[in-house]
Amino acid sequence: AAGADLVIAAALLARGAELHVVLPIRPEAFIAQSVAPFGPFWLELYRRVAAAATSLQTVTSLTDGYQPLATRLAADVAMGAARLHARRLETRALQVLVTDRADPPFGQGAGTAYFGRRWQGGVPAAGAAGQDAAVDQVCLVEPRSADVSPSGSRPAEGRADLRLVTLLRIACAAVPDVPGEDSVDGPAEDEAFAHLVDTTLGPLRQRLAAAAPAPDFVIPAADGFIAGFLDLDRAWAYAAAALDQADHGPTLRLVGHYGLVHDLAGHGAILPAGPALVRLESMAELALPGVLVGSAELAAGICVNHSAALIVEEIGEDDMGPVFAMRPAPGQ
C-alpha cells in the first residue's frame, strides 16, 4: 500500500532482497483502494515494485472495497510463510512494523496492532530456541504525515457477513462393509453408514469433545463432518487431537483450509458458504492417513504461532493451488 509498505519494499529490492507480495484482494482492486488515491508517485512506485517481485499472490478474489478480514488473512499468510521459510533455512524471521505512535504499543491502527500481536504470539523458529519472540520484531515509530483517520478510530468496515474461519473436514477413507454383507450397494448403504457412525465417527466426536477445543460450528459432510473455528490456533489444537486418535489412523482423513466465508445465518450462528468450502472439498481426494492435508493458506496461518512445533511438507498441488501435509513434530 502507499506509504511504509512500498518504501520498505523498494529499499529491500535495492539491496538485492527477494520480495514476495501477498495481497488481500485482486491487484486492480487493491491499487484502486490503497495506492492510486494517494497520487501518481505511489502508483508508479507500486508498479515498479510489483514488477520486480519474485511472487505476487492474492488470498481472495474480492473486488468490492476494503475488507479488514481479507487484510488479516493476507497478513497471516505472509507472516506464517516467512516463519516456515525461516525454519527451513534454520534461521530467524524478522517483522518490521511501522507504527504511527509508540503508545499504545502498536499505535492507533487496528490492522497494525493485529500484525504486531500475532507476531509476538508466535513460537521462535528453529535455531532461535529460548529467545523471546519480540526480539524478532522491530517497531519503527513514524507519525502520520497526512490527516488520515486511523482504522482503529473508524466505524466497522467491510462486509458484515464475512467471517475468517478455519475449516477442518474430518471423514473416513471409505464406508466399511456391514458385517454379513458382501457390499454396501443398494439397501445396505444406509446400514453401512450407520455402522460407520457407531464404530468410528460417533466415538471420535465424543473423544474430541473431551480432549479438544469445541468448534464454533459443525456442518455435515457426506462421509463425516466439517468443524469450523474462528480462532486458527484452536483449530490446530483440534486437528492435532484428531490425529492423536491412533486407533482410527488407517481410516481417518483430515483436510483443512483457512479463508473467508459468507455467513448465511447470522444472529450468533454460522452457516458458511462460498469459495472456501469449494477449496476444502477440492482437497478431499488428496487426504492421507496420519496428517492434516491443507491449503497453502492453512499451512502458513498455522505456522505464525506453531512453526517450531510442526512438520510441514508440500505434497503437490491441485487445480486451486499448492497442498501441504502437516503433523506435530516428535515430542509435541
Side-chain angles (χ1 to χ4, degrees):
D5 289 356
L6 282 172
V7 170
I8 293 176
L12 290 171
L13 285 170
R15 286 158 176 79
E18 270 191 12
L19 179 66
H20 297 268
V21 180
V22 184
L23 297 181
I25 56 178
R26 288 182 182 271
E28 61 274 15
F30 182 81
I31 292 170
Q33 164 201 296
S34 299
V35 183
F38 300 94
F41 168 83
W42 295 108
L43 184 58
E44 174 60 26
L45 184 59
Y46 172 88
R47 287 173 174 161
R48 285 195 286 113
V49 165
T54 301
S55 70
L56 188 150
Q57 64 173 299
T58 60
V59 294
T60 76
S61 58
L62 295 169
T63 60
D64 53 352
Y66 176 60
Q67 302 293 337
L69 291 180
T71 300
R72 289 191 175 192
L73 174 59
D76 278 342
V77 169
M79 291 188 291
R83 278 205 155 123
L84 176 58
H85 192 54
R87 184 179 180 189
R88 288 170 176 158
L89 298 178
E90 296 187 351
T91 185
R92 293 159 52 196
L94 176 70
Q95 183 190 64
V96 179
L97 200 64
V98 180
T99 69
D100 56 4
R101 289 175 52 177
D103 185 30
F106 300 110
Q108 294 179 293
T112 307
Y114 176 82
F115 309 150
R117 287 194 300 267
R118 280 284 284 158
W119 189 262
Q120 283 191 343
V123 178
Q131 294 182 1
D132 186 344
V135 172
D136 296 325
Q137 182 183 70
V138 175
C139 293
L140 306 176
V141 180
E142 187 67 29
R144 295 178 185 269
S145 59
D147 186 17
V148 178
S149 175
S151 58
S153 65
R154 295 196 292 264
E157 298 175 286
R159 292 182 58 107
D161 65 323
L162 285 180
R163 303 287 182 269
L164 180 55
V165 301
T166 304
L167 300 170
L168 301 175
R169 190 183 192 276
I170 301 176
C172 288
V175 177
D177 290 346
V178 178
E181 295 284 349
D182 292 332
S183 73
V184 295
D185 296 333
E189 186 172 356
D190 287 340
E191 188 176 353
F193 193 79
H195 180 69
L196 174 68
V197 170
D198 292 341
T199 60
T200 304
L201 290 174
L204 174 64
R205 283 292 306 275
Q206 292 176 359
R207 291 177 181 176
L208 289 176
D216 293 293
F217 60 90
V218 176
I219 57 177
D223 51 357
F225 61 94
I226 296 171
F229 294 83
L230 297 173
D231 181 273
L232 183 59
D233 297 326
R234 289 175 57 246
W236 169 243
Y238 191 90
L243 292 174
D244 195 43
Q245 303 294 317
D247 52 336
H248 296 307
T251 60
L252 188 65
R253 299 292 187 269
L254 276 76
V255 297
H257 178 58
Y258 181 47
L260 295 180
V261 298
H262 293 271
D263 180 8
L264 301 183
H267 309 294
I270 298 178
L271 179 61
L277 284 166
V278 177
R279 182 71 183 106
L280 186 72
E281 290 298 325
S282 75
M283 294 182 290
E285 294 184 359
L286 303 176
L288 298 168
V291 296
L292 168 62
V293 171
S295 62
E297 292 86 352
L298 180 67
I302 292 174
C303 282
V304 176
N305 281 357
H306 303 283
S307 63
L310 280 175
I311 294 176
V312 182
E313 299 172 291
E314 187 171 353
I315 60 173
E317 62 180 50
D318 60 12
D319 292 341
M320 302 183 75
V323 177
F324 292 78
M326 293 158 272
R327 66 185 188 274
Q332 299 297 321

